[in-house]
Amino acid sequence: MTTDMREETLWQMLTRPHASVTGRQAIRQARTLAGVTLVLLFVDFLIMVAYAVATGRIMSWEIAVLLALALAYGLSRSARPRLSALTVVIFLLITNFVILVVLRSDITVRNILFLMLPSLIAALLLSSTMTIATAAASILGLLLFGLLAAWVDFSQAFTSIVSLTFVLTLVVVTALLRERDIQTIEQQSEAVDTVSRLLQVDMQRIALTSEVGRAITAIRNMDALLKRVVSLIVEQADFYHAQVFLIDEAGRYAVLSESTGEAGRELLARQHRLAVGSQSVIGQVTARGEPVIASDTDTDVVHRRNELLPYTRAEMALPLRIGDRVIGALDIQSIHPDAFDERDLAVFQTMADQLAVAIENTRLFERAQRDLTNIERLNRQLTGEAWRQYASGRSTANVVGYLAGEQGVKPLAAGDEE
């Protein structure tokens, strides 16, 4: 590790914000506060040491400045770092006016420069409101000092006060513009983050749809297909629960055919079903043939709470349709309220349509297989019966074989020529 990397790491460690400080802007401000107060603390310490070496004594106000800066640095590393900047600003304001009074100073350009410092720090590290308050305090304090200090010639100091007012006005305007720009940047950053998040979700949904499509084309067994689809939805889309209901032959009930997790196994063991048209998400979907979303299950009257799924806060059910006929519903649940939007509705309805076609094709395939098996069994039965009837109507005495020809099958007796 190089020296530069060690110094950078040390600086980052000394300016690291408190763990409770979150957000890019808050973290950046906290780091800036820690860096500024740390530098001021170090510089003040060097000045105090140099003064002590040169004069052989330490002024009490120097110790006070050092302690104030140490407090400000400590606050910059705390859970409320803005108190650090506020401490520095207030301390500098008080210190500047105390020095003016103690040293019986006149209002000079040098003193004005020191009076600008609190407002500049406020503009850099605090809000525009605090910058305005600091600038007003500096101007008002200097005006009162010029009027009340007997050794100050106010007529000569007036020009300096006007100059300070003009400069601090510019500082305030700059702080206002900076705050507006920061708000604009934050709004743009949030918009970019939102778009990025939505794009990421869309990519996940596309990948999920692709996986479901592959499962639909590869799996012919109904139970295996439904199990794979609901598992993919929960695992890849990070939802709480997913399940498939299929309407029974009488069209009265939506019967649970596949469900995820321990709750799903329990519901399947109970042979869970909901009446078509009942006051439930599944009941409404299977009756109307349209998607239904319960955005907040605590307030939505359509949702029927299930004790096996206590953390459901939003539910979306999509009809499984073959033309105008509804054969069931795909049900998805989330632990977050308002978890489903129009984008989810479009993606998962497409998935539900694909699943409905796959279910119907699988049913037709299984039905064709059963029909073929039945036909083969019936054919064997009829063939056997025909042979029995044929054999029973013929004498089998002296029959040594059979001959198949254009006239059909004839028995061969001993001594017959071929």
Side-chain angles (χ1 to χ4, degrees), residues 182-358:
I182 289 175
Q183 291 176 350
T184 301
I185 292 172
E186 288 180 345
Q187 291 172 354
Q188 292 174 345
S189 178
E190 290 176 358
V192 171
D193 289 343
T194 300
V195 172
S196 176
R197 180 179 56 82
L198 292 175
L199 287 175
Q200 185 177 4
V201 171
D202 287 343
M203 293 298 294
Q204 291 174 345
R205 299 293 189 263
I206 291 172
L208 174 59
T209 304
S210 177
E211 286 287 336
V212 170
R214 281 195 289 270
I216 288 173
T217 56
I219 302 174
R220 294 300 180 194
N221 179 269
M222 174 79 75
D223 294 336
L225 174 61
L226 297 183
K227 184 181 292 293
R228 179 60 177 160
V229 170
V230 295
S231 297
L232 283 172
I233 291 173
V234 170
E235 292 168 4
Q236 293 198 14
D238 195 26
F239 286 123
Y240 174 45
H241 191 74
Q243 50 195 4
V244 174
F245 289 81
L246 296 177
I247 297 177
D248 61 12
E249 293 183 0
R252 296 179 56 193
Y253 292 98
V255 181
L256 183 65
S257 299
E258 190 54 62
S259 189
T260 55
E262 184 62 34
R265 286 188 286 273
E266 177 65 25
L267 289 170
L268 288 169
R270 295 181 182 180
Q271 298 182 341
H272 181 60
R273 64 180 187 176
L274 293 167
V276 174
S278 62
Q279 190 67 15
S280 64
V281 172
I282 299 301
Q284 293 300 304
V285 167
T286 51
R288 292 153 47 184
E290 298 176 353
V292 172
I293 295 178
S295 298
D296 190 341
T297 57
D298 286 346
T299 58
D300 201 307
V301 295
V302 177
H303 174 76
R304 175 181 290 182
R305 186 167 297 279
N306 191 314
E307 72 278 6
L308 296 178
L309 298 168
Y311 303 112
T312 297
R313 289 298 310 278
E315 183 177 7
M316 176 175 66
L318 309 122
L320 301 175
R321 298 174 297 204
I322 300 297
D324 296 331
R325 181 166 58 93
V326 178
I327 64 172
L330 172 63
D331 183 61
I332 305 171
Q333 301 180 25
S334 173
I335 61 174
H336 305 291
D338 301 313
F340 305 107
D341 55 23
E342 293 298 324
R343 302 159 71 94
D344 292 317
L345 187 62
V347 170
F348 286 102
Q349 184 59 65
T350 300
M351 194 180 302
D353 293 339
Q354 292 177 335
L355 182 60
V357 173

Side-chain angles (χ1 to χ4, degrees), residues 100-116:
L100 286 176
V101 173
V102 171
L103 299 181
R104 300 177 67 84
S105 299
D106 201 352
I107 301 178
T108 62
V109 174
R110 183 184 64 182
N111 294 331
I112 288 176
L113 291 176
F114 278 108
L115 285 172
M116 291 179 186

